[in-house]
Amino acid sequence: MAKEVDRGVIIVESARISAIVEEALEKLSFLASITPDVMAHRDELSQIVGDEITRIIQEQRALERKYEGLIAQRAALKALSNKVNPPLNGKHACASVCANGKVSASAVLRLVLVLML
């Protein structure tokens, strides 16, 4: 009697596993049919990503120039610090440019990683 129950449980579990595997295969088949062929669109993707990298690099250079200007301004203000207290917004501007530069650099790295895939 116990063997019949075990055999029945095994048959039911086997049927459940089989149904789950079949459903997973159907879903994977559907995903494969709707996923674009990456190799066919490789040139388009390279152009889009290349344009994006170029834009980010130009943005990075502009941020670096702005940062250099702010550093020079800070140095000039430090020279006058004995006479006049520098405004706080200069410090905030430097921090803002630094933060934007980090974001821009990380965006370039993400796009390079996408190209490598």
Side-chain angles (χ1 to χ4, degrees), residues 40-103:
H41 301 289
R42 187 176 188 179
D43 292 335
E44 292 173 28
L45 291 173
S46 293
Q47 181 64 36
I48 291 169
V49 173
D51 292 344
E52 185 69 12
I53 288 174
T54 301
R55 183 190 64 76
I56 290 172
I57 289 172
Q58 289 171 349
E59 192 175 289
Q60 178 73 26
R61 287 181 182 152
L63 288 169
E64 288 172 0
R65 285 190 298 273
K66 187 174 181 180
Y67 182 71
E68 288 173 4
L70 289 169
I71 294 298
Q73 182 182 7
R74 183 181 73 173
L77 290 173
K78 276 187 174 183
L80 298 173
S81 67
N82 291 337
K83 297 177 185 176
V84 179
N85 289 331
L88 291 176
N89 63 1
K91 291 180 182 178
H92 294 299
C94 283
S96 173
V97 171
C98 289
N100 288 337
K102 289 177 186 174
V103 170

Side-chain angles (χ1 to χ4, degrees), residues 2-31:
K3 286 186 178 183
E4 288 180 23
V5 172
D6 289 342
R7 188 179 274 171
V9 170
I10 292 172
I11 291 172
V12 170
E13 289 299 316
S14 297
R16 285 182 64 201
I17 291 171
S18 178
I20 291 170
V21 169
E22 286 178 20
E23 185 178 347
L25 287 173
E26 287 174 10
K27 289 179 180 181
L28 286 172
S29 175
F30 173 73
L31 287 175

Side-chain angles (χ1 to χ4, degrees), residues 49 53 56 102-117:
V49 173
I53 288 174
I56 290 172
K102 289 177 186 174
V103 170
S104 181
S106 62
V108 169
L109 290 174
R110 277 195 307 274
L111 287 171
V112 168
L113 289 173
V114 166
L115 279 177
M116 293 174 67
L117 297 178

